[in-house]
């Protein structure tokens, strides 16, 4: 179902946008603190901590195309994607809280398994909401600029959510006792309530559809699984714009995933203040909140794809400049972080506004209503990028000799200090490597060929 309405009312825009409180919170807080929680509170070695995150995200990648195809099936049968969104929004807060409730003194192997199971369940609940959520813009808004408006305000809320959870999460952790059981429990409880509330409110923007019982008979699980993956592979094969856009976004997710995972380590071991991560996020997101609507103006004047390239290049340059932390760590870091934040706003809002164009172009070119399948593949690609970024950062820690710690006083603390090689590894994995990956993402982006006339000519 592709939207044909000429404009969106403000209530629809607002309800859709508020869902990014949930998506931004879930994307930001685990990426920021989960590996740090494992290595610096539970005493899990860096490689094992990275493996926990990767396995959970691999599961996410496995189920996203399935959820996407099932969402399309539900839309065709009932006229609504809402049931899965509501289920995900209700379940996620419970599992999110459990992820950070590992009892003090738990052996690190058991602690890692606890976090793995809880986080896999959290990721499953998130996908139930996120995949249909991403599919909705093509059904809510018609036209090149109207979708830009809808997605711009979504990214404004997303940016606010990144600030709220990126700065507020560590602040709540400190209020609850720092990197201890109480600190993480308080942080997770508050975050779970806010994430769940945002997702539930946003679920109301999806149409209610037909009464229950309208679905056709179920096929076998194996047949359904094969059909869902075939649908995902088909959209990748048949839509060149989607392949180009998703490849660029996946690479950028890898880069930002590395930087997100590294922020706590930079604060602790480079700036020598665990609380400095709050200032890093303030420096990153405050400019983004101001600049996000301006990227919408840029898109209208020069095109979304050109604006996306400009934002990516600016981010890469800002990240590269942070290599100076090797020789002169200090408060100057907040300036390039602010530039990166302004660029990141464009790197989020513009591809998100381009995705509904891809979906609409596919539907009107004979592909049919496959928005959920596109959404599933998009979420899988984004998740893959962020997971690989977290894993790559954990690998850098292990290679450069990072020493894990435990917050349990009964456990001997081996990592009161870190070797110089580990500190250097943190800086390089926070600056040079992400900059190179973002620069590489411009290669597939150059193959994205959809322009305004290709989209508005179809409406």
């Amino acid at each position: 179902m592709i939207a044909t309405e000429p404009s969106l009312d403000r209530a629809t825009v607002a309800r859709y946008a508020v869902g990014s409180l949930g998506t931004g919170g879930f994307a930001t807080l685990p990426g920021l603190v989960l590996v740090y929680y494992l290595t610096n509170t539970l005493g899990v070695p860096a490689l094992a901590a990275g493996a926990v995150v990767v396995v959970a995200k691999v599961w996410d990648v496995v189920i996203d195309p399935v959820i996407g195809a099932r969402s399309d099936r539900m839309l065709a049968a009932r006229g609504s994607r809402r049931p899965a969104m509501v289920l995900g929004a209700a379940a996620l807060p419970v599992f999110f809280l459990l992820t950070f409730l590992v009892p003090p003194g738990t052996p690190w192997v058991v602690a890692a398994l606890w976090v793995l199971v809880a986080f896999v369940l959290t990721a499953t609940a998130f996908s139930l909401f996120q995949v249909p959520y991403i599919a909705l813009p093509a059904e809510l808004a018609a036209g090149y600029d109207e979708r830009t408006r809808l997605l711009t305000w979504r990214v404004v809320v997303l940016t606010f959510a990144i600030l709220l959870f990126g700065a507020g999460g560590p602040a709540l952790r400190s209020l609850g006792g720092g990197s201890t059981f109480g600190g993480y429990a308080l942080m997770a409880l508050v975050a779970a309530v806010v994430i769940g509330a945002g997702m539930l409110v946003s679920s109301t923007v999806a149409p209610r559809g037909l009464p229950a019982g309208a679905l056709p008979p179920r096929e076998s699980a194996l047949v359904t699984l094969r059909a869902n993956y075939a649908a995902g592979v088909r959209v990748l094969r048949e839509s060149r714009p989607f392949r180009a856009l998703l490849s660029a976004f996946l690479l950028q997710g890898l880069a930002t995933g590395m930087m997100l995972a590294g922020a706590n380590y930079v604060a602790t071991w480079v700036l020598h203040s665990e609380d400095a991560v709050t200032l890093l996020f303030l420096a990153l997101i405050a400019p983004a909140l101001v600049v996000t609507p301006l990227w919408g103006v840029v898109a209208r004047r020069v095109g979304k794809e050109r604006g996306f390239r400009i934002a990516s290049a600016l981010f890469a340059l800002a990240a590269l400049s942070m290599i100076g932390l090797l020789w002169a760590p200090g408060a100057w870091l907040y300036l390039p972080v602010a530039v990166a934040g302004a660029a990141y706003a464009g790197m989020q809002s513009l591809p998100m506004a381009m995705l509904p164009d891809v979906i609409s172009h596919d539907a009107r070119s004979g592909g049919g209503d496959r928005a959920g399948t596109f959404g599933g593949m998009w979420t899988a690609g984004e998740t893959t990028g962020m997971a690989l970024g977290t894993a790559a950062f954990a690998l850098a820690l292990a290679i450069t000799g990072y020493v894990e710690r435990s917050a349990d006083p009964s456990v001997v603390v081996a990592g009161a200090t870190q070797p110089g090689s580990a500190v250097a590894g943190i800086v390089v994995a926070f600056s040079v490597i992400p900059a190179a990956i973002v620069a590489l993402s411009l290669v597939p982006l150059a193959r994205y060929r959809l322009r305004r006339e290709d989209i508005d000519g179809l409406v």
Side-chain angles (χ1 to χ4, degrees):
M1 182 174 65
I2 302 302
T4 57
E5 296 297 324
S7 62
L8 290 166
D9 61 79
R10 292 181 179 178
T12 298
V13 173
R15 283 186 296 148
Y16 182 75
V18 80
S20 284
L21 276 178
T23 60
F26 181 74
T28 300
L29 203 52
L32 175 65
V33 304
L34 192 55
V35 170
Y36 192 80
Y37 170 61
L38 287 162
T39 62
N40 280 45
T41 298
L42 303 180
V44 178
L47 276 181
V52 166
V53 176
V54 169
V55 170
K57 293 299 185 178
V58 166
W59 168 248
D60 209 8
V61 171
V62 168
I63 63 171
D64 284 343
V66 176
I67 291 173
R70 297 287 293 179
S71 179
D72 285 340
R73 179 175 178 269
M74 181 169 285
L75 179 69
R78 290 185 178 175
S80 177
R81 303 184 189 273
R82 182 181 295 197
M85 297 176 71
V86 172
L87 177 60
L92 186 145
V94 177
F95 298 131
F96 185 86
L97 179 59
L98 285 174
T99 301
F100 293 96
L101 291 184
V102 180
T106 302
W108 76 259
V109 174
V110 177
L113 289 174
W114 175 306
V115 172
L116 174 61
V117 172
F119 195 57
V120 162
L121 293 171
T122 306
T124 303
F126 178 71
S127 292
L128 287 171
F129 172 85
Q130 175 74 348
V131 171
Y133 180 69
I134 286 176
L136 284 177
E139 299 160 13
L140 296 175
Y144 187 89
D145 290 328
E146 196 68 9
R147 291 180 188 130
T148 302
R149 174 183 165 228
L150 177 66
L151 272 299
T152 294
W153 285 107
R154 176 194 164 186
V155 173
V156 169
V157 177
L158 177 67
T159 305
F160 172 74
I162 294 171
L163 174 61
L164 179 66
F165 288 93
L172 283 170
R173 180 182 63 188
S174 296
L175 185 63
S179 295
T180 64
F181 176 83
Y184 279 105
L186 176 63
M187 178 201 74
L189 176 62
V190 175
V193 171
V194 176
I195 289 172
M199 293 165 76
L200 281 172
V201 169
S202 193
S203 297
T204 64
V205 80
R208 288 188 178 275
L210 303 174
L215 283 173
R218 291 180 179 271
E219 298 172 319
S220 72
L222 181 60
V223 170
T224 300
L225 188 65
R226 185 184 299 118
N228 291 342
Y229 274 100
V233 172
R234 195 176 304 120
V235 297
L236 278 174
R237 185 178 65 247
E238 295 176 358
S239 178
R240 175 182 288 183
F242 185 63
R243 289 199 305 274
L245 186 61
L246 181 60
S247 297
F249 201 67
L250 187 154
L251 287 169
Q252 293 189 2
L254 196 163
T256 55
M258 287 193 73
M259 297 183 76
L260 186 61
N264 257 309
Y265 294 90
V266 169
T268 301
W269 301 111
V270 180
L271 301 179
H272 304 293
S273 170
E274 193 175 70
D275 293 334
V277 70
T278 298
L279 295 178
L280 282 173
F281 267 84
L282 286 172
L284 178 73
I285 301 305
L289 283 170
V290 176
V291 170
T292 295
L294 298 181
W295 285 113
V297 175
V298 171
R300 287 191 291 274
R301 292 192 175 183
V302 305
K304 300 175 193 178
E305 67 291 333
R306 187 176 298 173
F308 188 18
R309 287 198 296 269
I310 293 170
S312 302
L314 184 61
F315 184 93
L317 289 173
L320 182 61
S321 72
M322 298 180 203
I323 189 62
L325 289 170
L326 282 176
W327 303 283
W332 65 267
L333 170 65
Y334 299 120
L335 178 58
V337 167
V339 174
Y344 181 72
M347 289 166 58
Q348 287 292 300
S349 62
L350 297 176
M352 287 181 185
M354 292 158 74
L355 178 61
D357 293 338
V358 171
I359 295 171
S360 177
H361 181 268
D362 173 77
R364 296 181 184 274
S365 299
D369 290 338
R370 302 192 290 183
T373 302
F374 277 99
M377 296 302 291
W378 181 266
T379 303
E382 180 180 17
T383 300
T384 299
M386 294 295 289
L388 290 176
T390 302
F393 189 86
L395 181 61
L397 292 181
I399 290 173
T400 54
Y402 186 85
V403 184
E404 66 275 3
R405 302 188 299 172
S406 174
D408 184 0
S410 67
V411 178
V412 176
V413 176
T417 61
Q418 295 295 339
S421 60
V423 176
I426 290 169
V427 173
V428 171
F430 188 74
S431 57
V432 176
I433 299 176
I437 294 170
V438 171
L440 181 62
S441 74
L442 296 175
V443 175
L445 185 58
R447 297 195 293 269
Y448 182 87
R449 303 298 186 189
L450 290 183
R451 301 296 184 263
R452 183 191 305 272
E453 56 271 20
D454 298 313
I455 304 305
D456 286 346
L458 294 171
V459 175

